[in-house]
């Protein structure tokens, strides 16, 4: 029974990590799961020692002072397979929690991560935050002469605003 719980926790950790991204911070994974970061770190370190799915990638300090271990999937196909296992409603909730955690953790540095935040809020169905970060990402891409990327972000934001016309007023 205990072993089954450990396996389930490890699978939950890997699924949450797949939502966060190919390269992920354990603080974000713990926030997505609503679990203690030390437990998630212990599980992840054990999985990394096995060397099949994830590998340790150092540590990072976020602008809010959060210091977190970093891990990465050893192959994108592993991340994709785990991501696809998650039901759409659960995956959406996980993206929403990841976006909220990262937006707070990045603080004033958040605009530098606009694309990542837009993706989480878009998949997390938080459309007002998604539109905000899509427009920030579009502006940044335009400043870097990444016109195609800028247009892609603006089209995604416009698509949301077409479906939710009242949202435009709420963003002003």
């Amino acid at each position: 029974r205990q072993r089954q719980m450990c396996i389930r926790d490890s699978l939950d950790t890997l699924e949450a990590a797949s939502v966060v991204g190919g390269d992920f911070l354990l603080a974000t994974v713990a926030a997505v799961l609503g679990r203690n970061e030390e437990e998630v770190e212990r599980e992840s370190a054990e999985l990394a020692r096995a060397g099949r799915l994830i590998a340790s990638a150092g540590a990072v300090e976020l602008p809010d002072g959060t210091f977190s271990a970093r891990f990465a999937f050893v192959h994108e196909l592993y991340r994709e397979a785990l991501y696809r296992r998650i039901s759409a409603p659960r995956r959406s909730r996980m993206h929403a929690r990841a976006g909220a955690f990262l937006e707070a953790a990045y603080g004033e540095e958040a605009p530098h991560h606009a694309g990542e935040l837009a993706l989480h809020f878009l998949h997390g169905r938080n459309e007002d935050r998604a539109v905000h970060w899509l427009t920030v990402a579009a502006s940044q891409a335009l400043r870097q002469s990444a016109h195609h990327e800028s247009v892609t972000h603006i089209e995604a934001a416009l698509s949301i605003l077409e479906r939710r016309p009242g949202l435009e007023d709420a963003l002003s």
Side-chain angles (χ1 to χ4, degrees), residues 131-154:
V131 168
H132 170 76
W133 291 114
L134 284 165
T135 56
V136 172
S139 295
Q140 288 176 338
L142 196 56
R143 280 193 300 276
Q144 297 168 353
S145 296
H147 300 114
H148 179 70
E149 185 178 336
S150 182
V151 167
T152 301
H153 292 311
I154 288 297

Side-chain angles (χ1 to χ4, degrees), residues 4-18 29 33 35 43 47 53 73 81-82 85-86 90 94:
Q4 283 179 329
M5 284 180 60
C6 288
I7 291 170
R8 180 71 237 168
D9 286 347
S10 293
L11 185 55
D12 284 347
T13 296
L14 288 169
E15 287 175 348
S18 76
V29 173
L33 294 171
R35 290 182 45 213
E43 289 166 11
L47 289 163
L53 297 173
F73 283 94
L82 286 156
R85 287 178 42 90
I86 308 167
R90 182 170 178 245
M94 293 170 114

Side-chain angles (χ1 to χ4, degrees):
R1 188 98 173 120
Q2 180 80 10
R3 181 163 166 73
Q4 283 179 329
M5 284 180 60
C6 288
I7 291 170
R8 180 71 237 168
D9 286 347
S10 293
L11 185 55
D12 284 347
T13 296
L14 288 169
E15 287 175 348
S18 76
V19 168
V20 175
D23 185 330
F24 55 92
L25 298 179
L26 291 186
T28 311
V29 173
V32 165
L33 294 171
R35 290 182 45 213
N36 179 298
E37 190 176 344
E38 286 184 29
E39 292 172 21
V40 174
E41 186 172 0
R42 218 175 6 263
E43 289 166 11
S44 300
E46 194 173 305
L47 289 163
R49 275 193 297 278
R52 292 195 173 104
L53 297 173
I54 62 173
S56 178
V60 172
E61 184 172 357
L62 294 169
D64 72 348
T66 300
F67 188 63
S68 179
R70 206 172 109 223
F71 285 78
F73 283 94
V74 296
H75 199 287
E76 179 62 16
L77 289 175
Y78 296 144
R79 190 199 69 75
E80 283 180 33
L82 286 156
Y83 188 82
R84 289 184 188 160
R85 287 178 42 90
I86 308 167
S87 70
R90 182 170 178 245
R91 193 170 45 227
S92 178
R93 289 188 302 271
M94 293 170 114
H95 273 292
R97 286 190 292 259
F101 172 81
L102 290 169
E103 186 177 48
Y106 290 146
E108 291 180 16
E109 302 271 326
H112 299 293
H113 304 275
E116 176 187 15
L117 292 169
L119 177 86
H120 285 303
F121 286 122
L122 191 60
H123 291 300
R125 303 176 58 79
N126 185 336
E127 294 179 326
D128 60 334
R129 299 310 302 147
V131 168
H132 170 76
W133 291 114
L134 284 165
T135 56
V136 172
S139 295
Q140 288 176 338
L142 196 56
R143 280 193 300 276
Q144 297 168 353
S145 296
H147 300 114
H148 179 70
E149 185 178 336
S150 182
V151 167
T152 301
H153 292 311
I154 288 297
E155 285 176 343
L158 287 173
S159 173
I160 293 169
L161 293 172
E162 284 173 1
R163 286 193 321 274
R164 304 253 330 266
L167 187 60
E168 194 172 336
D169 297 331
L171 296 172
S172 303

